[in-house]
Amino acid sequence: VDFHVSLAGRGDLSTRIYRQLHEAIVEGRLAAGERLPPTRELATSLSVSRNTVAAAYERLTAEGFLVGRVGAGTFVCANPPARPPRPGEQADEISVRRPWRSIAADPPPLAPVSFDFQVGVPDAHLFPMAAWRRLVARELRDVGVRASAYVDPAGHDGLREAIARHIGLSRSVRAGAGDVIVTHGAQQALDLVGRVLLEPGACVAVEEPGYPPARELFASLGAKVTGVPVDGEGIVVAAIPRAATLVYVTPSHQFPLGTAMSLDRRTALLAWAHRHGAVLIEDDYDSEFRFADRPLEPLHSLDRGRRVVYVGSFAKTMLPMLRLGFLVVPPSLRAPVRAAKRLTDRQGEVSTQGAMAAFLTEGLFARHLRRSTRGYAARHERIAEILRRDFAGRLAVVPSIAGLHLAAFLRTPADVAAIVRRAAAAGVRVENLANYYAEGSGEPGLALGYGGIELDRIAPGLARLATCWPET
Ligand SMILES: Cc1ncc(COP(=O)(O)O)c(C=O)c1O
């Protein structure tokens, strides 16, 4: 790259050049091994004599920052000497809005383990990568000049049509392409809705236990987030604060307990929302993986989309890295949510969206879902069966018929955190249900995902988990 050197400052010209190169190296802007411009070239561009530049290079070479290789040029050393920060050089502490003071940038990376029952990840091995690669390549090849410019903030037209058709058929969600807004995953959908609906200090009700990124997001927008208990039928409607203007729920597969919200509870929740003028967000994040029964009607269909925002994600059905999701909003929210999308992100990444449209319309999505649902169903059944048989006195499996993880409550008191710690030390990752409670730790239990563990690894993994229980 063209390295910018300014001749401003104190000292002779050579010292000024020296100082800037020195700073760039110790700060890492000029990386180890990087080639410096030839002295003649830099001298010409700065209108100084070649000797002036050469003197700066020689000094840096003598101090161990640069190395010259005959015939090849001058390079930054592999390990240039480190310089401790000078007093007063530390970055200023800038005050950020209160919610951001306690929200982690990123959870610490997970260490690899032998038996990984991590919650919330699909199995990337099941993903038809070759077909996806072909569609992305085709999309990039065929993308026209028009499509490479800014387009509708709601996203790729073809994808919105394909999503509307997909959820219309598979989830009986009545929506046209105009009601669909493509997002970077469910998380952006929640952000857009929160932005347009929440006044500072507004009350948002979320499930307890629940999905931490949703809770944190609403809090980051300045809302007062209240956890509402969940029982075997779903969120306890009577416990939702009257002040709540937004209620976030996961009716198909409660996160993290895995239960489906009963029809009675759905009806009661909708009646509550109408009575209080609140909006419901229905996060249908992994309902496509269904192992039994006919699915219950989404809140969105029961309500005909009047007070319900329907949120979908391709993070589990495709891959989390693609950052593809969508939302279907009631008519009065269409314009403000589109505007929020335009102002925060424009239209997203249209070539990936185009490939996703083709993946849906060419039947590849349906085929991938059928195949992976079979795979996940077998894993779900295997885990449930082993827990019921070999952990009968210890764990009660929470019934669930969909998704990528299941939960189990402890039958007899034990220190769940200690079990999870011992399991980790033994190479087994399971999750403590307590992590999904904002207040208190709820009923003690474990969550076990099966996106990251192959079928034949489940039995040995659970056998090892059994050894992590305290002696009774
Ligand atoms: C409850 C819930 N909603 C949504 C998602 C997906 O979010 P995103 O599409 O932003 O990756 C997940 C993923 O774990 C989830 O557990």
Side-chain angles (χ1 to χ4, degrees):
V1 291
D2 219 10
F3 184 70
H4 175 77
V5 177
S6 153
L7 292 180
R10 283 176 292 111
D12 59 32
L13 288 176
S14 184
T15 305
R16 293 180 207 178
I17 296 169
Y18 160 84
R19 210 180 291 126
Q20 287 183 56
L21 291 174
H22 177 262
E23 223 163 61
I25 296 170
V26 293
E27 287 172 6
R29 285 180 288 124
L30 270 176
E34 208 159 326
R35 184 169 182 268
L36 266 72
T39 47
R40 187 190 305 277
E41 204 176 279
L42 188 56
T44 310
S45 74
L46 294 174
S47 306
V48 297
S49 81
R50 192 177 166 196
N51 282 346
T52 304
V53 175
Y57 279 26
E58 276 160 25
R59 191 168 159 199
L60 288 162
T61 307
E63 291 175 2
F65 291 99
L66 296 181
V67 57
R69 281 191 224 126
V70 182
T74 308
F75 298 82
V76 179
C77 274
N79 295 306
R83 170 175 66 78
R86 296 197 196 97
E89 207 178 47
Q90 273 88 354
D92 285 357
E93 199 53 55
I94 296 172
S95 171
V96 297
R97 277 183 49 229
R98 190 178 299 280
W100 292 105
R101 293 177 201 161
S102 54
I103 299 174
D106 206 18
L110 298 174
V113 290
S114 309
F115 302 98
D116 196 349
F117 294 95
Q118 189 196 343
V119 169
V121 289
D123 187 346
H125 297 105
L126 296 175
F127 184 70
M129 192 56 92
W132 177 253
R133 206 179 292 124
R134 188 170 45 75
L135 292 182
V136 172
R138 189 173 81 193
E139 189 62 27
L140 287 173
R141 194 182 57 228
D142 295 349
V143 81
V145 173
R146 189 195 64 80
S148 61
Y150 291 114
V151 298
D152 189 331
H156 187 281
D157 292 346
L159 179 56
R160 287 189 290 134
E161 268 161 38
I163 289 173
R165 186 176 146 71
H166 168 66
I167 56 178
L169 291 176
S170 70
R171 305 291 293 127
S172 69
V173 170
R174 292 170 189 81
D179 303 310
V180 175
I181 294 166
V182 178
T183 59
H184 284 293
Q187 195 66 17
Q188 189 184 37
L190 304 184
D191 181 46
L192 295 175
V193 177
R195 276 170 190 273
V196 302
L197 287 183
L198 299 176
E199 300 291 352
C203 176
V204 176
V206 298
E207 296 166 325
E208 174 87 331
Y211 184 50
R215 193 189 291 138
E216 286 185 315
L217 177 77
F218 297 129
S220 80
L221 293 172
K224 182 176 166 300
V225 183
T226 305
V228 177
V230 171
D231 65 18
E233 289 196 62
I235 193 165
V236 177
V237 175
I240 301 176
R242 297 172 65 86
T245 51
L246 187 63
V247 183
Y248 166 81
V249 285
T250 49
S252 295
H253 187 236
Q254 202 278 330
F255 190 91
L257 298 179
T259 40
M261 191 184 289
S262 70
L263 187 57
D264 281 353
R265 199 56 68 82
R266 288 174 197 236
T267 313
L269 181 58
L270 285 169
W272 187 95
H274 281 274
R275 223 173 24 254
H276 292 84
V279 170
L280 304 178
I281 296 183
E282 173 172 36
D283 181 355
D284 213 14
Y285 66 106
D286 69 356
S287 64
E288 286 91 345
F289 302 120
R290 174 163 297 280
F291 315 132
D293 293 357
R294 282 197 48 71
L296 285 168
E297 290 242 347
L299 290 170
H300 188 277
S301 336
L302 291 170
D303 188 47
R304 306 231 156 210
R306 286 179 302 159
R307 302 210 73 85
V308 179
V309 175
Y310 180 87
V311 171
S313 170
F314 291 109
K316 319 278 174 165
T317 49
M318 298 288 286
L319 291 174
M321 71 164 187
L322 298 177
R323 303 312 301 141
L324 281 171
F326 60 91
L327 77 173
V328 177
V329 292
S332 58
L333 292 186
R334 222 187 273 172
V337 171
R338 281 168 90 105
K341 182 72 169 58
R342 177 175 68 80
L343 289 182
T344 53
D345 173 51
R346 262 318 308 185
Q347 77 274 11
E349 205 278 280
V350 184
S351 58
T352 303
Q353 294 178 14
M356 186 68 221
F359 201 79
L360 280 158
T361 52
E362 293 176 21
L364 293 160
F365 187 69
R367 192 183 316 155
H368 167 53
L369 271 192
R370 271 196 304 276
R371 199 169 143 243
S372 38
T373 301
R374 269 199 305 277
Y376 293 139
R379 298 180 195 185
H380 175 274
E381 197 182 317
R382 178 81 49 97
I383 296 179
E385 183 188 290
I386 295 176
L387 292 186
R388 290 198 180 102
R389 189 188 63 216
D390 300 344
F391 291 72
R394 298 167 174 172
L395 289 173
V397 177
V398 179
S400 69
I401 50 154
L404 285 183
H405 71 271
L406 51 75
F409 290 124
L410 251 57
R411 281 189 192 279
T412 44
D415 181 350
V416 182
I419 294 172
V420 170
R421 256 196 324 273
R422 270 198 295 273
V428 183
R429 178 164 18 248
V430 288
E431 299 197 20
N432 188 344
L433 273 183
N435 295 344
Y436 299 102
Y437 286 82
E439 280 163 37
S441 52
E443 192 172 342
L446 294 174
L448 294 95
Y450 37 85
I453 187 151
E454 284 171 17
L455 186 62
D456 60 0
R457 307 276 297 155
I458 288 174
L462 293 181
R464 206 177 283 184
L465 176 65
T467 65
C468 303
W469 240 258
E471 299 296 332
T472 43

